[in-house]
Amino acid sequence: MRVFPARTDVYTAGTPADSLFIISEGVVKSFRDLPSGRRRIAAFFFARDLFGLARAGRYVNTVQTLTPVRVDQLSFDALTELFEKDPGLELQFLCKTIHVLRETQHHNIIMGRRDAVGRLAMLLRLLQTQDGPADGHPDVPIPMTKSDIANYLGLSLEAVVRASRRLERQGIVEFVGRHHARIIDRQRFEALASNV
Amino acid sequence: MRVFPARTDVYTAGTPADSLFIISEGVVKSFRDLPSGRRRIAAFFFARDLFGLARAGRYVNTVQTLTPVRVDQLSFDALTELFEKDPGLELQFLCKTIHVLRETQHHNIIMGRRDAVGRLAMLLRLLQTQDGPADGHPDVPIPMTKSDIANYLGLSLEAVVRASRRLERQGIVEFVGRHHARIIDRQRFEALASNV
DNA sequence: CGTCATTTTGAGGTATTTCAACGAAGGTGG
DNA sequence: CCACCTTCGTTGAAATACCTCAAAATGACG
């Protein structure tokens, strides 16, 4: 069990991978900086999410905390040992990997939309359901910056800002401070966040 | 082992899932039709790829063959049995699932690009590396239609056509017939297909 | 050889990107 | 505790790229 303050690196892209991580509490972003200077956020991970899957022995993304985070760090050595003792454990990891796959597919669906407002709405709904099992809670915590949101949605920062404004002007969502939103008109919000 | 002719459904979205599939030979597309009438292709699968992962007991996408296809169909019943006999098998599935995850992440990277030409180049490179281990083969088979490509890249059909034309006019790629391309200028092609 | 799906091309509309400049917030150090 | 400073957010105007609509050409298939 390790603890990280907000805005610190858990690991850096390209470094040799030796562990998997499972979030106990907090939120992280997984991203890569491209040669052009653009940053692409591949995923946000929340409590109980698995991250650290490597390719060719190295981490492909940098993972950075957005909030204070507690993670279970599982070294590969320890894992192979655990797998031998308890074969059922592999199934656990398979399930968690499939969950990551589903989230990535959902990200794909978001990116497939051509309208900025729709993409933003889908991210907000993701954060909403992530918040708690209490489905339909109108208050949505937004742990990341708008710049992060832009990099996740594949939009420019300005486009995210304008989409936020439009959601407000239309009375669908209200942004209070930088890290909270409130769903005003659930009906129209769900209509927007539907998979077109 | 089952065999499907080209352009036939392997299974339909929403039907109860009872099997996983591993492609022995051929190419399939995995897609969903949205209420708006749009079609989103989530992935193309090739030899040795795994597909059929379900959510809540039902297939989420429709899978249709692009070419004649041979698949190994593994019913869940048979799988649980096999897993008990050979725990190492689970690891095989974990690896294949991670491979699907990587492909999905790659798709995300493609969709993150804003230029149609760049997206098309990345798909062509995917098909190129898929073709054979002979990396750098200039001839690229294109088993899907341009309409499929559009639905995969999140572009309109016309945008795909114009991107193809531009690649030709610039002497980077040559399209011969509907199902083959040839890389003319490898240098500039790789530059385009890089993760900008 | 005819029919149908697919592809191609053109013209106009629209959304996002870019560029630039300003305002606000949060963190740091004195 | 305040001032500074860096990052983040906001707004406007112009350019670009893609989308949509419409019509014609090409190719596949029976």
Side-chain angles (χ1 to χ4, degrees):
Chain A
M1 177 73 74
R2 294 181 65 189
V3 179
F4 294 89
R7 273 163 286 114
T8 56
D9 287 4
V10 176
Y11 56 73
T12 307
T15 56
D18 60 351
S19 304
L20 287 179
F21 300 84
I22 296 178
I23 299 185
S24 174
E25 189 180 354
V27 187
V28 305
K29 61 181 172 185
S30 175
F31 65 90
R32 248 180 82 190
D33 290 318
L34 302 176
S36 65
R38 268 203 178 73
R39 172 170 293 185
R40 305 281 286 276
I41 294 185
F44 298 112
F45 291 118
F46 304 86
R48 304 193 308 169
D49 281 344
L50 168 78
F51 67 89
L53 292 171
R55 183 188 195 84
R58 293 177 180 277
Y59 294 119
V60 296
N61 289 322
T62 296
V63 167
Q64 200 173 95
T65 60
L66 295 174
T67 67
V69 164
R70 289 187 310 152
V71 295
D72 289 314
Q73 179 167 1
L74 304 158
S75 75
F76 294 151
D77 295 343
L79 270 179
T80 52
E81 205 173 308
L82 284 174
F83 279 170
E84 282 170 11
K85 281 192 208 153
D86 179 6
L89 205 60
E90 281 181 316
L91 199 59
Q92 302 268 333
F93 274 83
L94 183 55
C95 287
K96 283 201 180 295
T97 303
I98 290 177
H99 180 252
V100 174
L101 174 60
R102 300 229 172 287
E103 285 303 311
T104 306
Q105 288 173 339
H106 184 252
H107 190 189
N108 262 345
I109 292 175
I110 292 178
M111 302 267 287
R113 295 191 63 157
R114 291 181 246 286
D115 57 325
V117 180
R119 291 197 205 182
L120 179 58
M122 290 187 80
L123 173 60
L124 287 177
R125 200 178 53 172
L126 190 154
L127 293 173
Q128 184 189 30
T129 63
Q130 191 51 240
D131 185 21
D135 195 48
H137 198 60
D139 282 303
V140 181
I142 305 178
M144 63 290 291
T145 69
K146 281 211 166 57
S147 194
D148 287 334
I149 293 177
N151 291 331
Y152 178 78
L153 296 181
L155 297 170
S156 67
L157 168 60
E158 295 91 326
V160 173
V161 170
R162 288 180 176 112
S164 305
R165 288 280 150 278
R166 200 178 314 176
L167 283 177
E168 287 198 320
R169 272 204 311 277
Q170 300 190 349
I172 298 175
V173 175
E174 180 185 13
F175 291 88
V176 28
R178 286 189 171 177
H179 295 296
H180 285 279
R182 176 174 314 207
I183 312 299
I184 303 294
D185 188 334
R186 169 163 312 284
Q187 199 104 57
R188 282 192 292 164
F189 176 73
E190 286 299 329
L192 263 181
S194 297
N195 299 350
V196 172
Chain B
M1 177 73 74
R2 293 179 64 189
V3 180
F4 293 89
R7 273 163 286 115
T8 56
D9 286 3
V10 176
Y11 56 73
T12 307
T15 55
D18 61 350
S19 304
L20 287 179
F21 300 85
I22 296 178
I23 298 185
S24 174
E25 188 180 356
V27 186
V28 305
K29 61 181 172 184
S30 174
F31 65 90
R32 247 180 83 191
D33 290 318
L34 302 174
S36 65
R38 269 205 177 71
R39 171 170 293 183
R40 303 281 286 278
I41 294 186
F44 298 112
F45 291 119
F46 304 86
R48 302 194 309 169
D49 281 344
L50 169 78
F51 67 89
L53 293 171
R55 182 186 195 83
R58 293 177 180 277
Y59 293 119
V60 297
N61 289 322
T62 296
V63 167
Q64 199 173 95
T65 59
L66 295 174
T67 67
V69 164
R70 288 187 310 152
V71 294
D72 289 314
Q73 179 167 0
L74 304 158
S75 76
F76 294 151
D77 295 342
L79 271 179
T80 52
E81 206 171 309
L82 285 174
F83 279 168
E84 281 170 12
K85 282 192 207 157
D86 179 6
L89 205 59
E90 281 182 316
L91 200 59
Q92 303 269 331
F93 274 84
L94 184 56
C95 288
K96 283 202 180 295
T97 303
I98 290 177
H99 180 253
V100 174
L101 174 60
R102 300 229 171 287
E103 285 303 310
T104 305
Q105 287 172 339
H106 185 252
H107 188 190
N108 264 347
I109 292 175
I110 293 178
M111 302 270 287
R113 295 192 62 157
R114 290 182 246 286
D115 58 325
V117 179
R119 292 197 204 183
L120 179 58
M122 291 187 80
L123 173 60
L124 287 177
R125 199 178 52 174
L126 188 155
L127 293 173
Q128 185 189 31
T129 62
Q130 191 51 242
D131 185 21
D135 196 48
H137 197 60
D139 283 302
V140 181
I142 305 177
M144 63 288 292
T145 69
K146 283 209 164 60
S147 193
D148 286 334
I149 293 177
N151 291 330
Y152 179 77
L153 297 180
L155 298 169
S156 68
L157 167 61
E158 293 92 326
V160 172
V161 170
R162 287 187 242 269
S164 305
R165 287 280 150 279
R166 201 178 316 177
L167 283 177
E168 286 197 323
R169 273 203 310 276
Q170 299 189 350
I172 298 175
V173 175
E174 179 186 13
F175 291 88
V176 28
R178 289 188 171 176
H179 295 296
H180 285 279
R182 176 173 314 207
I183 312 298
I184 303 295
D185 188 332
R186 170 163 311 284
Q187 199 104 56
R188 281 192 292 164
F189 176 73
E190 286 299 329
L192 263 181
S194 296
N195 299 350
V196 170

